[in-house]
């Protein structure tokens, strides 16, 4: 049950697009379509952004999109805004009916 | 409105026990799988445990297996986490989380409580 690997930090200017990677193994990310992404502002609970690799909850911003290739999933934030400055976590279903989160990525808006 | 509200956190000595509760409302609790996720101060999210609809199936992270027990009371719309043999490394905010299930697995953690802080220290 090792954590999925994410870059510690990613930054971008307002209006730009950034991508956060999430690397696992064939036992988690690569083996299932059950990758999800979460946004967490300081002192707040995480919020679901993307589920099942690329689906957005209804009514949520379409600036967030997800994809997966092999053992690596990705979250792209388009049209970066100041309010997007937060921590982001990926998550995946894993073998033996367990779940694993990524190490987390701090997004900074320059 | 969907709500999950945790309680029961606090300061406990190493080796001690604590029971967390999570009161759910705004959805059909007995139809949902539920999870506990924790976050140590300044650290990332870590999945802890999961329970299915009726409590007949549970799974745990290796780090808590044999020490923690997840359970539920569907009549009271309440989720529990019994934590025994607590260690300093169990210090964290514990989140109660609803999971949506497809194909026999949780595919998203869609509603999170605000968390309850557990501090293990002498």
């Amino acid at each position: 049950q090792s954590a999925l690997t994410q870059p510690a930090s990613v930054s971008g200017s307002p209006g730009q697009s950034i991508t956060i990677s999430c690397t696992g193994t064939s036992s988690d990310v690569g083996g299932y379509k059950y990758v999800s992404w979460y946004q967490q502002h300081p002192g707040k609970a995480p919020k679901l952004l993307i589920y099942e690799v690329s689906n957005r909850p209804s009514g949520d911003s379409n600036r967030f999109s997800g994809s997966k290739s092999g053992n690596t999933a990705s979250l792209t934030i388009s049209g970066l805004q100041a309010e997007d400055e937060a921590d982001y976590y990926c998550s995946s279903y894993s073998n033996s009916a367990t779940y694993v989160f990524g190490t987390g990525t701090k997004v900074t808006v320059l | 409105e969907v709500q999950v509200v945790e309680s029961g956190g606090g300061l406990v000595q190493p080796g001690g026990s604590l029971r967390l509760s999570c009161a759910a409302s705004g959805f059909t609790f007995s139809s949902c799988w539920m999870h506990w996720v924790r976050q140590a101060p300044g650290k990332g999210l870590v999945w802890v445990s999961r329970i299915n609809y009726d409590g007949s199936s549970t799974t745990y992270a290796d780090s808590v297996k044999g020490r923690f027990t997840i359970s539920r009371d569907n009549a009271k719309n309440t989720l529990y986490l019994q934590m025994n043999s607590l260690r300093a490394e169990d210090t964290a905010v514990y989140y109660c989380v609803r999971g949506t299930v497809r194909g026999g697995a949780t595919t998203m953690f869609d509603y999170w409580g605000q968390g309850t802080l557990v501090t293990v220290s002498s």
Side-chain angles (χ1 to χ4, degrees):
Chain A
Q1 295 174 350
S2 298
L4 307 175
T5 301
Q6 298 180 230
S9 63
V10 173
S11 62
S13 299
Q16 284 187 330
S17 293
I18 61 171
T19 297
I20 301 169
S21 61
C22 168
T23 301
T25 68
S26 58
S27 295
D28 38 60
V29 174
Y32 306 94
K33 292 184 178 180
Y34 302 149
V35 176
S36 51
W37 289 90
Y38 303 85
Q39 177 191 61
Q40 186 180 35
H41 287 105
K44 300 294 187 180
K47 175 192 171 188
L48 174 67
L49 287 178
I50 296 289
Y51 66 96
E52 295 171 17
V53 177
S54 59
N55 295 306
R56 274 188 311 274
S58 59
D60 281 13
S61 172
N62 60 6
R63 296 189 299 106
F64 297 92
S65 60
S67 63
K68 189 184 84 161
S69 178
N71 295 337
T72 298
S74 298
L75 173 73
T76 297
I77 308 175
S78 305
L80 199 61
Q81 299 178 0
E83 68 212 46
D84 299 331
E85 192 159 288
D87 293 326
Y88 292 80
Y89 295 91
C90 60
S91 177
S92 175
Y93 176 78
S94 181
N95 287 350
S96 304
T98 61
Y99 301 81
V100 60
F101 282 93
T103 50
T105 298
K106 181 177 180 60
V107 168
T108 300
V109 181
L110 302 172
Chain B
E1 179 191 5
V2 172
Q3 277 197 314
V4 288
V5 180
E6 306 91 340
S7 61
L11 175 63
V12 61
Q13 292 189 338
S17 298
L18 208 57
R19 187 176 85 154
L20 305 183
S21 299
C22 168
S25 60
F27 64 100
T28 305
F29 181 72
S30 60
S31 297
C32 293
W33 289 22
M34 298 296 295
H35 300 252
W36 288 99
V37 175
R38 70 183 182 185
Q39 186 171 35
K43 303 296 184 181
L45 301 172
V46 177
W47 176 82
V48 173
S49 182
R50 168 236 102 184
I51 188 167
N52 72 339
Y53 312 101
D54 61 3
S56 61
S57 174
T58 59
T59 56
Y60 299 90
D62 288 344
S63 57
V64 307
K65 199 175 296 182
R67 299 187 300 124
F68 290 11
T69 301
I70 190 171
S71 62
R72 66 191 298 159
D73 185 336
N74 285 343
K76 295 182 177 179
N77 287 351
T78 302
L79 175 73
Y80 302 100
L81 185 67
Q82 177 67 44
M83 303 185 295
N84 299 330
S85 304
L86 282 162
R87 307 165 180 166
E89 54 264 36
D90 295 319
T91 294
V93 172
Y94 284 74
Y95 293 102
C96 170
V97 188
R98 190 183 85 167
T100 291
V101 176
R102 297 193 212 276
T106 293
T107 66
M108 67 185 94
F109 302 110
D110 53 3
Y111 286 95
W112 298 64
Q114 285 306 304
T116 186
L117 177 62
V118 172
T119 303
V120 184
S121 175
S122 54

